[in-house]
Amino acid sequence: MALHKGLLKRGFKLPECEKHFHDHDETWIIVSGTGTSYWIDQEGHREDFVLEENDIWMIPAGFEHGSDGPNSEDFQISVFNGTQPPGSHQPGHYYMEQEAYIPTLKLVKESTSRYRQHASRPEMIKGVMFIEKGKAVLQEEKFPHLQSGHILCKTIYSGVTNGTERNVLMGGNYGGKWPNRCGYQNVGRVIEVPRSVKAYTRGDLIFSGMFSQHVEYFSVNVSEPESESNWVIKLPGTINTQEAALFGMASVAMHDVRRAEIRLGEKVLVIGAGSIGLFTSQIARASGAQVTICDLKKHRLGIAQELGIQQTIQIQDENSWEKLARMGPFDAVFEDSGADVLDKILGEGFGQKRLLTTRGRLVLIAGRNEVIYKFNAGQGAELSALHASHFQRTDLKEVCRLVSEGILKVRPIIQNLMPISEAPSFYDRLRDDPGSTLGTVFVWEEK
């Protein structure tokens, strides 16, 4: 309650007071004289009071009250208001006959960990770090600090973003300096929530695409829960938490397909059957497109067929590109491989064979230092070259919906499910044999 000073030095005489109520409690201090008052409780029972100098009369919120005498000529009171909860009337006289409600104040006990020892909170945690080119370690680091507007989570699963992480590991266009780290696919359990955060509670399962990296615990900002740049969602019970560990790449694919404005009946080619390519193919197909996907590896194309993509081409030689050309031209080509294939897509000049139709869209996704193609080929095709960045919250929510409805499938893409203790050896594989690392999910909690 607020501090009040000087109440006994001022006040007002009260010959009478009509019946009224407040949304807050109220206190009368009797400065001088004698008088009478009454209240009517929330059950409608009236009680009368005799008041005299130095008395303090406290009226609960929602009790109708007043004074209809007799009051002495020197009857003087001083009044102060109690707590005014959010949504309450401004101080004044209100009448139940007009307002048609009875307010109440309730005690709410909120659990706090302010003075409690956190037995489950270790001093040091595990985290993956790229310490030099091509080398990753599982190191110990300090427990994260819970910032204002954040929630603190314990990681259950984290998904590897293969292309981006190899790029950073090996010093590509996203990296080039060490130590370094990456990762934006964390499935976690909420373990601590500040009072300012209302959308989450302890025990909630969440997915975060907020570049939290591969760490055992993470603090993530949820101060603007519906902002497009907030990539944290509460996972419904219909979602398998292992599958949610790849929602970041699925959301990137969702963003890419939306960026390209894929339409019903269009021909779409996806180059590269990695995780993002496999998600892109499914989402483009769900948008009504006729989808073809190609890759060097036969087993990845088998996964694509399992996901419902029937048109698959294994790239083995020049004949494979000729076969693709006969299946085109394509309205949109998603370059998800990072390979040097732009001349195959556009041809090498005016009138040359190409995979892309005139005024088609080339969507460049896989990271590379330079994008090089023949200008005449691009001009001849009247090319639209599109870049897409990270996903937005609406992309993530649509992924969650499509997975819940069985339209977008994740399970066949998960090829490597491994304890986090094996992370260093996994990154050796990613360095030396990246084709063997499709759909990798780290497991942080031991069963």
Side-chain angles (χ1 to χ4, degrees):
M1 186 172 287
L3 177 64
H4 297 271
K5 292 185 176 181
L7 292 175
L8 297 179
K9 296 180 181 179
R10 60 179 181 267
F12 56 90
K13 291 187 176 181
L14 188 72
E16 63 180 18
C17 179
E18 82 276 12
K19 183 187 71 169
H20 64 283
F21 80 97
H22 311 291
D23 289 351
H24 53 77
D25 53 41
E26 182 181 75
T27 300
W28 289 16
I29 300 174
I30 312 307
V31 179
S32 63
T34 60
T36 61
S37 65
Y38 65 89
W39 71 35
I40 302 172
D41 66 20
Q42 292 167 336
E43 303 300 323
H45 303 132
R46 173 171 172 150
E47 186 174 357
D48 291 270
F49 298 85
V50 175
L51 304 175
E52 56 186 23
E53 185 176 344
N54 296 325
D55 283 349
I56 295 176
W57 186 46
M58 304 177 70
I59 308 111
F63 278 35
E64 293 180 283
H65 58 283
S67 174
D68 49 15
N71 297 333
S72 65
E73 291 185 1
D74 60 345
F75 184 57
Q76 183 171 323
I77 71 169
S78 187
V79 174
F80 66 89
N81 302 322
T83 300
Q84 299 171 49
S88 67
H89 278 125
Q90 292 296 316
H93 287 194
Y94 297 93
Y95 311 98
M96 288 185 184
E97 295 86 350
Q98 297 176 12
E99 304 299 327
Y101 73 84
I102 299 176
T104 58
L105 299 182
K106 294 182 179 180
L107 174 67
V108 177
K109 296 183 178 180
E110 295 186 3
S111 60
T112 177
S113 56
R114 182 182 297 172
Y115 301 111
R116 189 181 306 152
Q117 293 294 322
H118 293 273
S120 62
R121 180 186 289 190
E123 291 185 7
M124 304 297 289
I125 66 171
K126 298 183 183 72
V128 174
M129 181 68 73
F130 304 156
I131 58 171
E132 59 186 61
K133 183 177 181 178
K135 185 174 180 59
V137 299
L138 189 62
Q139 67 178 20
E140 287 199 337
E141 49 194 78
K142 291 183 178 180
F143 195 91
H145 173 67
L146 180 60
Q147 303 176 50
S148 175
H150 287 53
I151 55 175
L152 186 63
C153 306
K154 187 178 190 300
T155 303
I156 304 172
Y157 301 104
S158 63
V160 176
T161 54
N162 301 55
T164 300
E165 296 197 35
R166 189 176 190 278
N167 184 303
V168 175
L169 179 68
M170 301 305 294
N173 63 302
Y174 297 138
K177 62 180 181 179
W178 296 272
N180 209 337
R181 68 198 317 172
C182 51
Y184 57 83
Q185 301 186 112
N186 295 74
V187 176
R189 181 180 294 108
V190 178
I191 63 171
E192 193 168 332
V193 182
R195 294 184 64 182
S196 60
V197 172
K198 304 302 181 184
Y200 296 88
T201 60
R202 290 181 62 187
D204 284 344
L205 293 174
I206 61 103
F207 169 83
S208 170
M210 300 288 284
F211 299 99
S212 297
Q213 289 85 48
H214 298 289
V215 288
E216 191 175 3
Y217 292 83
F218 60 95
S219 173
V220 64
N221 189 350
V222 293
S223 59
E224 298 182 36
E226 293 304 319
S227 166
E228 278 297 332
S229 60
N230 183 291
W231 308 314
V232 180
I233 60 169
K234 192 183 301 185
L235 292 173
T238 53
I239 296 295
N240 180 288
T241 50
Q242 285 183 4
E243 295 181 6
L246 298 188
F247 274 13
M249 289 189 289
S251 298
V252 167
M254 176 69 72
H255 189 71
D256 299 343
V257 173
R258 286 173 146 187
R259 177 84 175 87
E261 297 182 345
I262 299 303
R263 295 181 284 272
L264 182 69
E266 287 192 314
K267 286 187 174 182
V268 169
L269 173 63
V270 178
I271 299 177
S275 297
I276 290 182
L278 292 170
F279 284 125
T280 300
S281 300
Q282 292 185 77
I283 296 167
R285 181 170 178 261
S287 300
Q290 305 173 57
V291 180
T292 301
I293 188 168
C294 64
D295 198 274
L296 297 173
K297 294 187 176 294
K298 186 175 181 179
H299 80 276
R300 291 191 174 192
L301 297 175
I303 295 171
Q305 291 177 338
E306 185 180 349
L307 295 170
I309 311 302
Q310 299 304 317
Q311 304 228 95
T312 63
I313 300 292
Q314 184 181 7
I315 301 298
Q316 296 176 302
D317 50 30
E318 194 62 31
N319 291 330
S320 304
W321 292 105
E322 291 287 340
K323 186 175 181 180
L324 272 176
R326 290 193 296 273
M327 298 173 70
F330 296 94
D331 299 289
V333 175
F334 291 83
E335 207 309 282
D336 288 345
S337 71
D340 185 15
V341 296
L342 297 187
D343 287 346
K344 300 291 186 184
I345 298 170
L346 298 174
E348 298 193 7
F350 291 112
Q352 297 292 312
K353 289 183 180 179
R354 59 176 183 262
L355 300 178
L356 196 65
T357 188
T358 301
R359 299 188 184 92
R361 289 97 75 199
L362 172 61
V363 190
L364 295 163
I365 303 304
R368 62 194 76 203
N369 284 313
E370 294 181 302
V371 176
I372 300 175
Y373 58 86
K374 301 293 192 297
F375 178 82
N376 288 353
Q379 189 177 47
E382 294 193 349
L383 168 70
S384 291
L386 302 176
H387 287 254
S389 187
H390 203 54
F391 54 89
Q392 294 183 309
R393 182 174 180 81
T394 49
D395 301 315
L396 177 56
K397 292 174 76 171
E398 284 303 299
V399 163
C400 192
R401 180 181 69 84
L402 293 182
V403 172
S404 293
E405 294 177 2
I407 297 171
L408 182 61
K409 299 185 186 303
V410 181
R411 178 58 57 183
I413 300 176
I414 299 177
Q415 302 289 297
N416 298 281
L417 190 64
M418 60 182 60
I420 190 59
S421 58
E422 297 181 17
S425 60
F426 165 79
Y427 284 103
D428 290 342
R429 279 175 53 199
L430 185 65
R431 177 192 64 209
D432 301 331
D433 185 18
S436 69
T437 61
L438 175 71
T440 297
V441 174
F442 291 140
V443 181
W444 288 84
E445 289 190 343
E446 297 181 2
K447 299 297 184 181

